[in-house]
Each structure stands twice: as C-alpha cells, then as structure tokens.
Amino acid sequence: MGLTNNDVFKKLRVAHKLRDDDIINIFKLVDFKVSKSELNAIFRKEDHPKYMECGDQFLRNFLDGLIIHLRGPLPPKRPNKSEKRK
C-alpha cells in the first residue's frame, strides 16, 4: 500500500518542523480555515476513533500555502509587449 494523504501531510510537517499554529497560518495564506482539532484528527493513527482522513482538497490547499510560506507571494505580472501596444 502506498502513502496516504495523511502520511504525506505528516512527513511534510516533520520535514519543515511545523507546529499546529504554523500549519494554521499556512492555511490562512490561501484563505482556508482549519482548526487545531481538525489537525489533531488528521495526525492521529488510523485506528483511533477520532481519526480523520486528509482529503485531496485539504492537502492541496496546504501545499499551495506551503509554497507561499516558503517562497513568498508571486509578484504581480508585468504586461506582455503585445499588450503594451494596444
């Protein structure tokens, strides 16, 4: 069996040494609200009664926020030369 979204999320958390507050702030960068209790449920073992599966949208938003957190926001786009002539 391969890695689940929960496994990937846990590995990223450890690799980047992120605390719950850090993760919540990363989600805020992409306007995605998440609570500490949701994070705790995702980081639990699968056999725990309050375990929650990390969905694709959840992980995607975290990855998008992590990019902004690590790199910073994208600079505004400059108009192309062809757009300047119009």
Side-chain angles (χ1 to χ4, degrees), residues 36-80:
K36 282 190 180 187
S37 60
E38 284 178 291
L39 289 179
N40 289 333
I42 286 173
F43 293 131
R44 293 185 190 280
K45 294 187 185 240
E46 278 188 61
D47 58 353
H48 192 280
K50 296 203 179 199
Y51 168 82
M52 185 172 91
E53 190 174 309
C54 179
D56 292 342
Q57 180 182 6
F58 196 91
L59 185 59
R60 183 182 69 247
N61 279 292
F62 174 72
L63 292 172
D64 289 344
L66 185 62
I67 291 168
I68 294 168
H69 174 74
L70 296 173
R71 182 201 61 209
L74 283 174
K77 286 188 174 184
R78 296 187 338 219
N80 294 337

Side-chain angles (χ1 to χ4, degrees), residues 2-27:
L3 290 175
T4 65
N5 285 352
N6 292 63
D7 296 332
V8 172
F9 195 24
K10 287 177 194 175
K11 288 181 182 296
L12 287 168
R13 176 186 182 197
V14 171
H16 291 281
K17 300 177 184 157
L18 299 171
R19 297 182 329 270
D20 288 350
D21 291 335
D22 298 327
I23 294 170
I24 289 169
N25 288 330
I26 287 170
F27 275 111

Side-chain angles (χ1 to χ4, degrees), residues 24-36:
I24 289 169
N25 288 330
I26 287 170
F27 275 111
K28 284 181 184 176
L29 293 172
V30 291
D31 296 324
F32 192 84
K33 292 189 191 305
V34 64
S35 68
K36 282 190 180 187

